[in-house]
Amino acid sequence: NICVCQGKVNIIRLNGGEVHTHPSVVLNSRPKGYHAGMPFETTLIADRAGSKISVGENTRIHASYIHAWKSIKIGKGVLIAAGTNILDSNGHSSLPKHARFRRNFSDEPKEIIIGDYVWIGLNCIITKGVEIGECSIISASSVVKEDVPAFSVVSGNPAKVVHRFKSEDVL
């Protein structure tokens, strides 16, 4: 799908992988007018058989790296700040029995789902198997290893809920 690309943006589809974006999506790697540093170019990679990245309408992704071995679903109206990594696989096995030969073993990827109107702050890491509920905020530099309830703010490594708000508080 065609979307708005600002600066150098990498969309990589290999081995039958798919990347789908709504036409209103903005993928930005251009620092002009952005409020923080841009550590790298926005990159979306789906490079395994059956892998898929989907990005919903009016989502903005700034200088972030999104890599699917299975599936990453990003809802509508999501804001992803620069320096964020969203990875549905660890890359290598984390099993102790593979420690000496880790590079020879891949782990099992798990789907990531990011709900509508989520804001992911600067330099966050979203790990495999996580679901982030709608309207949530992921504070800068957080590492999300567990599901995030809707209408909450999480912070830290590992990210924990630091605030909850009511759905009726959202315009």
Side-chain angles (χ1 to χ4, degrees):
N1 298 5
I2 298 173
C3 63
V4 178
C5 294
Q6 299 173 333
K8 187 165 183 336
V9 170
N10 305 297
I11 298 176
I12 301 167
R13 299 174 298 247
L14 299 171
N15 304 311
E18 300 176 22
V19 176
H20 299 279
T21 60
H22 188 274
S24 62
V25 167
V26 174
L27 303 177
N28 179 37
S29 297
R30 190 177 58 208
K32 183 179 181 191
Y34 192 69
H35 70 287
M38 295 269 188
F40 39 77
E41 299 163 348
T42 297
T43 301
L44 282 63
I45 302 175
D47 61 354
R48 302 288 167 122
S51 62
K52 184 176 180 180
I53 297 172
S54 63
V55 184
E57 63 185 280
N58 296 317
T59 288
R60 297 178 65 89
I61 301 172
H62 302 281
S64 293
Y65 184 87
I66 301 170
H67 192 165
W69 280 8
K70 184 173 185 172
S71 175
I72 298 173
K73 296 177 182 175
I74 300 171
K76 65 182 177 183
V78 175
L79 300 173
I80 301 176
T84 293
N85 279 265
I86 302 173
L87 312 164
D88 71 355
S89 171
N90 295 331
H92 299 290
S93 170
S94 59
L95 297 175
K97 69 181 181 178
H98 296 151
R100 290 191 175 100
F101 305 98
R102 196 167 312 283
R103 69 175 177 258
N104 297 325
F105 297 94
S106 296
D107 73 327
E108 184 69 30
K110 294 183 181 170
E111 180 178 54
I112 294 172
I113 300 172
I114 299 172
D116 296 342
Y117 308 106
V118 168
W119 176 19
I120 300 175
L122 292 165
N123 301 313
C124 289
I125 299 173
I126 311 300
T127 64
K128 70 181 196 171
V130 166
E131 183 169 351
I132 300 174
E134 68 174 309
C135 298
S136 292
I137 299 171
I138 312 302
S139 297
S141 299
S142 293
V143 178
V144 181
K145 299 177 181 182
E146 297 178 357
D147 290 351
V148 175
F151 308 105
S152 51
V153 179
V154 299
S155 183
N157 179 8
K160 299 291 180 194
V161 175
V162 296
H163 182 72
R164 300 285 304 259
F165 52 95
K166 298 176 183 150
S167 61
E168 54 267 19
D169 294 337
V170 177
L171 299 176

